[in-house]
Amino acid sequence: MSSVVVESDVQLSLDSIRESLIRQEDTIVFSLIERAKFPLNSPAFEESRCLDSGNSSSLTEFFVREIETIQAKVGRYDNPEENPFFLDNIPQSVFPTHKYPQALYPKASSVNINKRLWDVYFKELLPSFVKPGDDGNYASTAASDLACLQAISRRIHYGKFVAEVKFSDAPHDYEPAICSKDTEALMKLLTFEKVEEMVKKRVEKKAETFGQEVKCVSGDEESEKNYKVDPSLVSRIYGEWLIPLTKDVEVEYLLRRLD
């Protein structure tokens, strides 16, 4: 099966994608710091508290659905970098939107693992960096969770752009594994451990810089460094969840790249 070239006005390159991913790290680190202000507040996302008996969703799910509807109406999801969490909830934009150039292969551009991200975020990722407890501040917590979820989703779905560039640069390296649906071989082709370690070290350094508690001390006295979010946890979040999920998106994209 021969590869198909995507006609695009955008010149994608690994360098430009890398620059974008580095900028996205700032957004993700800041969103984690903001979320850490609140305790876990699990009733916001685990229980249905809606006074409307016909609505069984949690407060957080209701909030995200409503926000995504508004954002869709102003064209957020016309941007191929943005992926909604609730696909059944997305209306057409009611305003003229920017015509984004086709940078992704059409049959593969719809890859969306946000349902999986939702489960991972609330069951594993979130409890790893926020304190347990419940302060009842559910609306602000839901808004903060949405900021985290959207920033992380954008990052992991950037894997589609990474996969497109890697495939376009060397299609014959990937075609045998794609044709045989060999996900293990594809994952091996996509994995560069040195790059992943560099990313983990960089986000840990950013968490140290952005999240350090600032204290004024007199004279030569040195204050103990305290952080709003443990920098090593931010590195772990990338290593255990964000990087692997990004590569899963890359594999899913490549499996559809010859359709």
Side-chain angles (χ1 to χ4, degrees):
M1 189 182 295
S2 61
S3 60
V4 180
V5 177
V6 174
E7 297 290 341
S8 174
D9 297 328
V10 168
Q11 193 63 38
L12 284 179
S13 70
L14 282 178
D15 285 340
S16 65
I17 291 172
R18 191 176 296 115
E19 286 176 12
S20 178
L21 290 172
I22 290 172
R23 289 195 300 272
Q24 289 178 43
E25 291 167 3
D26 300 353
T27 306
I28 291 170
V29 172
F30 276 121
S31 68
L32 295 175
I33 290 170
E34 285 298 300
R35 179 57 180 89
K37 293 192 300 189
F38 305 102
L40 187 60
N41 282 345
S42 59
F45 56 84
E46 287 182 348
E47 303 171 15
S48 175
R49 293 174 165 250
C50 188
L51 300 178
D52 178 0
S53 59
N55 190 333
S56 60
S57 64
S58 68
L59 183 151
T60 302
E61 181 181 331
F62 176 81
F63 180 84
V64 173
R65 283 181 178 274
E66 292 295 307
I67 294 296
E68 285 194 337
T69 298
I70 294 170
Q71 291 178 336
K73 287 181 177 180
V74 295
R76 179 185 180 104
Y77 300 107
D78 291 346
N79 183 342
E81 295 181 11
E82 303 293 348
N83 296 267
F85 282 85
F86 297 101
L87 292 165
D88 59 335
N89 200 49
I90 303 303
Q92 294 294 316
S93 174
V94 297
F95 291 94
T97 56
H98 176 67
K99 185 172 176 59
Y100 293 93
Q102 183 179 305
L104 300 174
Y105 185 61
K107 294 284 182 70
S109 63
S110 62
V111 170
N112 184 322
I113 66 166
N114 273 339
K115 187 178 186 302
R116 183 174 159 202
L117 171 59
W118 183 279
D119 290 338
V120 167
Y121 177 81
F122 287 110
K123 293 176 182 176
E124 301 173 34
L125 196 158
L126 184 61
S128 75
F129 77 94
V130 299
K131 294 178 181 177
D134 181 353
D135 67 1
N137 201 354
Y138 301 145
S140 295
T141 300
S144 190
D145 280 325
L146 176 57
C148 287
L149 283 165
Q150 288 186 327
I152 293 170
S153 172
R154 188 179 304 112
R155 199 278 179 196
I156 65 175
H157 286 98
Y158 235 73
K160 291 187 278 189
F161 295 93
V162 175
E164 178 60 40
V165 171
K166 289 182 176 179
F167 177 86
S168 298
D169 285 349
H172 299 299
D173 290 349
Y174 292 92
E175 285 172 354
I178 294 171
C179 292
S180 62
K181 306 292 184 186
D182 190 340
T183 57
E184 210 171 294
L186 287 172
M187 188 63 76
K188 190 174 180 181
L189 285 167
L190 295 166
T191 299
F192 297 91
E193 291 182 1
K194 286 184 179 179
V195 174
E196 292 176 12
E197 286 302 315
M198 183 176 65
V199 170
K200 286 158 60 179
K201 287 179 181 177
R202 185 170 60 238
V203 295
E204 183 170 354
K205 186 67 177 175
K206 288 183 178 184
E208 287 179 1
T209 304
F210 303 158
Q212 186 174 339
E213 298 278 6
V214 178
K215 295 180 181 178
C216 294
V217 293
S218 58
D220 296 328
E221 182 184 350
E222 289 189 9
S223 63
E224 182 184 351
K225 289 184 178 180
N226 293 309
Y227 301 100
K228 298 180 179 76
V229 175
D230 184 345
S232 66
L233 278 179
V234 176
S235 176
R236 181 187 161 210
I237 285 168
Y238 263 78
E240 287 194 22
W241 294 294
L242 270 63
I243 292 173
L245 286 171
T246 302
K247 290 195 292 185
D248 286 345
V249 166
E250 292 177 39
V251 169
E252 285 295 321
Y253 181 91
L254 288 171
L255 288 173
R256 304 183 194 185
R257 187 56 181 78
L258 297 179
D259 288 354

